[in-house]
Amino acid sequence: MTMKRMKTLLAVACLACGGTAVFPAEEQPLYRNPSESVEVRVADLLSRMTLQEKILQLNQYILGENSNVNNIGEINSSFIPGLGSYIYFNSDARLRNEIQRKELEVSRLGIPLLFGFDVIHGFRTIFPIPLAQSCSWNADLVRQSCAVAAREARMSGVDWTFSPMIDVARDGRWGRVAEGYGEDPYTNGVFAVAAVQGYQGDSLTGSGSVAACLKHYVGYGMSQGGRDYEATDISAQALWDTYLIPYEMGIRAGAATLMSAFNDIGGTPATANHYLLTEVLRNKWGFSGVVVTDWNAVEQLMSQGVAADRKEAACKAFMAGADLDMKDFCFKDHLEALVTEGKVPLARIDSAVARILALKFRLGLFEQPYTVEVPDAKRVLLPAYKEVCRQLAEESMVLLKNEAGTLPLRKKNVAVIGPMADDRENLLGSWSAQGRVEDVEGSIYENLRAELGPEARVTYARGCAFDGTDRSGFREARKVARKADVVVVCLGEKKSWSGENASRSTLALPAIQEELLAEVAKEGKPVVLVLSNGRPLELCRVEPLCDAIVEMWQPGIVGGKALAGILSGRVNPSGKLAITFPWFTGQIPLYYNSRQSARPLQGKYQDQPTVPLYEFGHGLSYTSFEYGDLQLSADTIRRGEKLKVEVRVTNTGKVDGKETVHWFVRDPVCSIARPVKELKCFEKRTIRQGESQTFCFEIDPERDLSFVDSDGNRFLEPGTYYVMVKDKRVCIELLE
Ligand code: NOJ
């Protein structure tokens, strides 16, 4: 055996133990030395790589059994030597370690693989869907849930999550509305920051963190008619003042990666959009992380009509600024020829490879390429994880209606009816990673029975399925309702009705569910409607039949218990909507922060309301909060100064409660028309019964009063601004 071969084997052996002393000190390459900076290590490693080795790093493939029905791919348990990354469809670390070991045995330079996965609202401990999470208005809880997800995922072999999704979404027909944080740019931005902090922690190294990925850059939430993957038409102004905002916030928070979107914007697909991927992202914002394409999106440039073949697609996407090609191997198959032909400069290859290597160094993969294999009991579903899950579920549920104090339930003879009533699976929601039905801690019915205890009478009838025309269960449902004092009707959506490729033409529940409610209501008992769904719903026909309505969303594994707590009054609901509920689907688009109409009193629909059923920020409590007038620290302000606005909020009811104060700003006269109101700050606090607390919004004019133009330039114009909380408003004057 030659000396060189011997050293290579030694190096592999050391890597396999996670060791670092690969070469005698004087011969140890710089990139192997963890005390060198990431920049030095990357430069050194890059200088040793061949073009072929570099190009392989720019590709991602799948490993394991693909559980996402929309991304159909073969089951893969083998590996392609030298590849940069895999999507890891598996629930423990074994397969990852096996493939990593094989890679490190053959890799000339010992470059570890990077494993990514869609950990969207939990890995095994499944939290409420992101849309629900945003209704909690509790960024700290969201951060904690992402930290839990990160730990479970990393300990199971995943280094990188394709989350958070921060596509501002205003069309509930789009199934992916469930995956983001609602209709408001600032709200998406705040939760993007929380998610990045939770996933990435203080450092990407170690078992407690994963790299985050902001997606889908950008405008995907605007897919026409809510139909997934469709083209979008977004004005440059809307791009800058709505869709890009959360991305900029997530990048400033240090997100390690970003995913380009499927959609085209005005004819240029996001995957091949040089303006967005390079001019804005790199040159303007200075983002130095990895840009991954979406699944097969490079190849899809052909379907989108901007590339004649895979080679042209590879060239366009890569030269626009994409670094890592997800799944379709266009980069692997064509970049070498494109370099030879002079269409792709070597410097561009190096910059993309450098970013991927930097991520691997930052994740500590060169020092610790393997995941320590830990049994399930020590890795997932720990009691502390479920505790975060319970809190988030409780805080994200929204009490939409509560006539005459129907809730909390006072009667102990309760009928629980409907297709969601005894269902566990659909509580998980879409994109539930490695979540399992058996992890769900009981259905609504089971939890309510446990909550109300043996002295209560809790009966159940399914009534009907989620859809279809079978009314044979109606009779039984009515019978059960007749014998009860109060009826809890549990309706909603199957988890597969939202998420990717799950658009619906209407926000209404299937007619059979509405009919069931109408039938049961005929018994004349108080009706509490519980909704579990992944989008805002059209409730115009069912709302008048209900005394109370609770939106529980798809709340994850302990959602049944959280709901039971709200129904019984053990938990005081505190969620508020982060997305508008229209009366009718035909009102879409309908969102709180639209611009003022030229004729505000005219132009309404003649046949339908134009106001929402439940507006952004709506959510009731079992207590009442009274707001004082807004108090200003000064009426005028100049650039560079700060001004405080305060509001005193008193809990005037009979129980403790949590209240979120939303601070809105409006610029009524500006050189371009601004929205009627824009959320600039929010805060949630517990206020004890009888207690008053002062909430404060410190206005920084550059941050809170400025606007962005269609080129992304910020302006701050002197003049009057309104600051608003609920129905309270004050004026401030920004001086020259
Ligand atoms: C396609 C989806 O659009 C994206 O969100 C996801 O991360 C990838 N597939 C990988 O599963």
Side-chain angles (χ1 to χ4, degrees), residues 541-557:
R541 287 167 299 279
V542 297
E543 190 273 347
L545 304 175
C546 304
D547 298 279
I549 305 179
V550 182
E551 175 55 81
M552 78 181 299
W553 303 109
Q554 288 157 334
I557 59 170

Side-chain angles (χ1 to χ4, degrees), residues 535-651:
R535 53 165 57 76
L537 295 175
E538 172 181 303
L539 299 174
C540 53
R541 287 167 299 279
V542 297
E543 190 273 347
L545 304 175
C546 304
D547 298 279
I549 305 179
V550 182
E551 175 55 81
M552 78 181 299
W553 303 109
Q554 288 157 334
I557 59 170
V558 290
K561 182 162 187 169
L563 177 80
I566 286 178
L567 296 180
S568 73
R570 178 175 51 79
V571 176
N572 189 353
S574 64
K576 294 186 183 218
L577 295 177
I579 193 158
T580 301
F581 274 47
W583 278 98
F584 295 90
T585 306
Q587 287 176 285
I588 295 171
L590 188 70
Y591 49 92
Y592 87 92
N593 43 358
S594 56
R595 293 192 296 273
Q596 182 69 279
S597 146
R599 292 185 175 186
L601 300 177
Q602 290 180 280
K604 312 291 183 201
Y605 295 122
Q606 296 189 344
D607 58 332
Q608 287 185 7
T610 30
V611 293
L613 170 60
Y614 299 122
E615 61 186 5
F616 178 86
H618 172 77
L620 306 172
S621 164
Y622 293 152
T623 189
S624 46
F625 296 104
E626 227 173 77
Y627 283 61
D629 289 332
L630 304 187
Q631 305 293 334
L632 289 168
S633 60
D635 303 334
T636 60
I637 184 172
R638 290 177 195 278
R639 279 164 205 276
E641 291 178 352
K642 302 259 170 72
L643 183 152
K644 279 188 184 162
V645 194
E646 291 183 341
V647 67
R648 197 137 174 88
V649 183
T650 306
N651 181 340

Side-chain angles (χ1 to χ4, degrees), residues 68 71 87 89 118 162 176 179 215-216 220 229 259 262 294-295 326 431 500:
N68 179 350
N71 295 341
I87 303 186
F89 293 100
D118 289 286
F162 307 129
R176 304 197 78 169
E179 285 176 61
K215 72 183 188 187
H216 309 81
Y220 188 28
Y229 316 119
M259 187 186 293
F262 284 131
D294 205 340
W295 181 280
M326 186 188 282
W431 286 108
E500 189 182 348

Side-chain angles (χ1 to χ4, degrees), residues 243-560:
Y243 298 97
L244 287 173
I245 296 231
Y247 286 93
E248 192 175 0
M249 290 170 75
I251 284 165
R252 303 261 171 267
T257 76
L258 172 144
M259 187 186 293
S260 52
F262 284 131
N263 55 293
D264 86 45
I265 304 184
T268 307
T271 316
N273 200 316
H274 187 267
Y275 172 70
L276 290 168
L277 292 181
T278 297
E279 291 167 51
V280 175
L281 190 63
R282 304 284 185 207
N283 304 348
K284 194 172 167 85
W285 291 344
F287 178 62
S288 58
V290 172
V291 172
V292 61
T293 70
D294 205 340
W295 181 280
N296 266 356
V298 181
E299 199 167 76
Q300 282 166 200
L301 292 176
M302 295 191 296
S303 333
Q304 289 174 299
V306 298
D309 51 31
R310 295 174 74 244
K311 188 173 175 187
E312 192 182 358
C315 189
K316 285 202 159 171
F318 192 64
M319 290 312 291
D323 299 320
L324 184 62
D325 177 353
M326 186 188 282
K327 170 68 180 59
D328 61 22
F329 283 150
C330 290
F331 288 2
K332 173 172 154 300
D333 297 343
H334 298 290
L335 281 183
E336 192 172 348
L338 288 164
V339 170
T340 313
E341 290 162 23
K343 292 185 179 141
V344 167
L346 266 177
R348 170 70 193 108
I349 300 274
D350 283 353
S351 67
V353 178
R355 287 193 273 265
I356 291 164
L357 296 177
L359 179 59
K360 293 183 177 185
F361 281 118
R362 285 181 65 201
L363 283 159
L365 295 177
F366 282 81
E367 286 68 57
Q368 196 63 261
Y370 301 109
T371 305
V372 180
E373 290 172 27
V374 180
D376 271 18
K378 297 209 164 119
R379 179 167 48 91
V380 294
L381 298 169
L382 305 190
Y385 299 173
K386 291 188 194 171
E387 179 55 22
V388 179
C389 197
R390 178 192 61 77
Q391 285 180 38
L392 194 48
E394 285 175 2
E395 294 207 19
S396 57
M397 294 182 187
V398 186
L399 180 62
L400 295 173
K401 178 175 181 179
N402 195 15
E403 295 284 290
T406 306
L407 286 176
L409 296 172
R410 281 178 298 263
K411 305 276 171 42
K412 296 287 182 201
N413 180 3
V414 185
V416 187
I417 294 172
M420 249 338 279
D422 201 20
D423 181 287
R424 291 180 177 214
E425 186 184 353
N426 293 298
L427 293 174
L428 288 171
S430 60
W431 286 108
S432 45
Q434 298 295 349
R436 301 180 188 169
V437 183
E438 59 268 27
D439 299 338
V440 176
E441 299 196 342
S443 65
I444 297 173
Y445 166 57
E446 290 166 322
N447 275 285
L448 194 58
R449 257 191 8 197
E451 178 83 25
L452 297 181
E455 69 279 10
R457 179 172 184 269
V458 183
T459 49
Y460 162 73
R462 189 173 76 128
C464 67
F466 282 91
D467 51 8
T469 51
D470 184 359
R471 295 174 179 77
S472 58
F474 283 13
R475 256 172 80 97
E476 173 67 10
R478 281 192 69 160
K479 203 168 115 196
V480 167
R482 200 172 308 135
K483 292 190 181 149
D485 295 328
V486 56
V487 186
V488 177
V489 181
C490 306
L491 306 181
E493 298 188 309
K494 288 184 175 176
K495 66 187 176 89
S496 58
W497 293 2
S498 51
E500 189 182 348
N501 195 14
S503 305
R504 294 179 81 79
S505 69
T506 173
L507 305 186
L509 288 170
I512 188 85
Q513 294 197 45
E514 293 194 358
E515 268 183 58
L516 172 68
L517 181 82
E519 278 298 310
V520 168
K522 285 180 190 158
E523 295 299 331
K525 305 293 167 70
V527 173
V528 176
L529 173 61
V530 170
L531 295 165
S532 173
N533 41 284
R535 53 165 57 76
L537 295 175
E538 172 181 303
L539 299 174
C540 53
R541 287 167 299 279
V542 297
E543 190 273 347
L545 304 175
C546 304
D547 298 279
I549 305 179
V550 182
E551 175 55 81
M552 78 181 299
W553 303 109
Q554 288 157 334
I557 59 170
V558 290

